[in-house]
Amino acid sequence: MDERQQGFLAWLGRLEADIQQMQSLLEQECEVLRTRRLDELSSLAQAKQETVVRIDERLGQLPTASGPKETVIEQLFEALKLRGVPDAWGVWDRIRTATARCRELNEANGAMIALLNEQTRQALGILFGQRHQPVCYGADGQSRTESGARLLGES
């Protein structure tokens, strides 16, 4: 294997490590959300951001070309004559699989966060901002509201 091939494979290995780190962080985030240990989200968000920066920097080292990064990497496999090298292609295959899993986890975690935010918004609305006056009907069939209703957060 020549120096260029070895350099590319080393770069690919570092990219794989970064993406596996991101997958691990997203799995941890999923567990934190599932178990409602929300105080841990801030540190996970920071670690995810640092990992994204590393991945972006690594991808920024690719030759400039139009099109998706995946296409550029596959073109490098061809140009460096690495397509038939099983170990090299195996790393690339693991990267693509881990990247797809990261997308799935990120979407699921985002949906869970949106749901938790909505539940919080509704709870705060009930406690501090929405008056729900029960509607009662008198003997004549006309609706009337009770005057003693108050918000839970009011004194």
Side-chain angles (χ1 to χ4, degrees):
M1 219 179 267
D2 72 24
E3 189 176 305
R4 290 179 354 171
Q5 290 171 321
Q6 289 175 351
F8 176 69
L9 291 179
W11 176 88
L12 204 60
R14 290 187 298 272
L15 179 63
E16 179 184 23
D18 289 338
I19 291 174
Q20 287 176 342
Q21 174 69 26
M22 178 59 77
Q23 182 177 344
S24 174
L25 290 167
L26 287 165
E27 288 168 347
Q28 290 174 45
E29 182 180 58
C30 182
E31 180 64 17
V32 163
L33 290 167
R34 188 184 66 73
T35 57
R36 309 280 169 124
R37 298 185 328 257
L38 304 179
D39 56 315
E40 297 176 32
L41 282 178
S42 179
S43 62
L44 278 173
Q46 181 177 351
K48 283 181 2 185
Q49 181 60 34
E50 292 167 1
T51 304
V52 165
V53 167
R54 274 197 319 276
I55 291 170
D56 283 346
E57 287 173 353
R58 201 155 321 280
L59 292 173
Q61 296 169 350
L62 287 171
T64 56
S66 61
K69 300 293 184 183
E70 184 173 325
T71 303
V72 174
I73 292 171
E74 289 180 1
Q75 289 170 348
L76 284 170
F77 266 94
E78 291 293 330
L80 296 171
K81 298 179 181 20
L82 289 169
R83 188 170 288 280
V85 179
D87 292 341
W89 198 253
V91 171
W92 178 234
D93 216 23
R94 289 191 304 271
I95 287 172
R96 290 186 303 178
T97 301
T99 300
R101 179 68 178 139
C102 285
R103 280 189 198 105
E104 291 169 3
L105 287 166
N106 196 46
E107 288 176 14
N109 291 351
M112 176 63 83
I113 289 169
L115 180 62
L116 291 171
N117 282 340
E118 179 61 20
Q119 289 173 345
T120 300
R121 188 193 63 75
Q122 287 176 356
L124 290 173
I126 290 169
L127 289 172
F128 299 109
Q130 298 174 350
R131 292 194 181 271
H132 291 287
Q133 296 180 345
V135 177
C136 299
Y137 294 93
D140 60 357
Q142 298 295 315
S143 66
R144 59 188 166 111
T145 59
E146 292 185 20
S147 59
R150 65 180 176 89
L151 297 173
L152 294 175
E154 290 181 335
S155 42

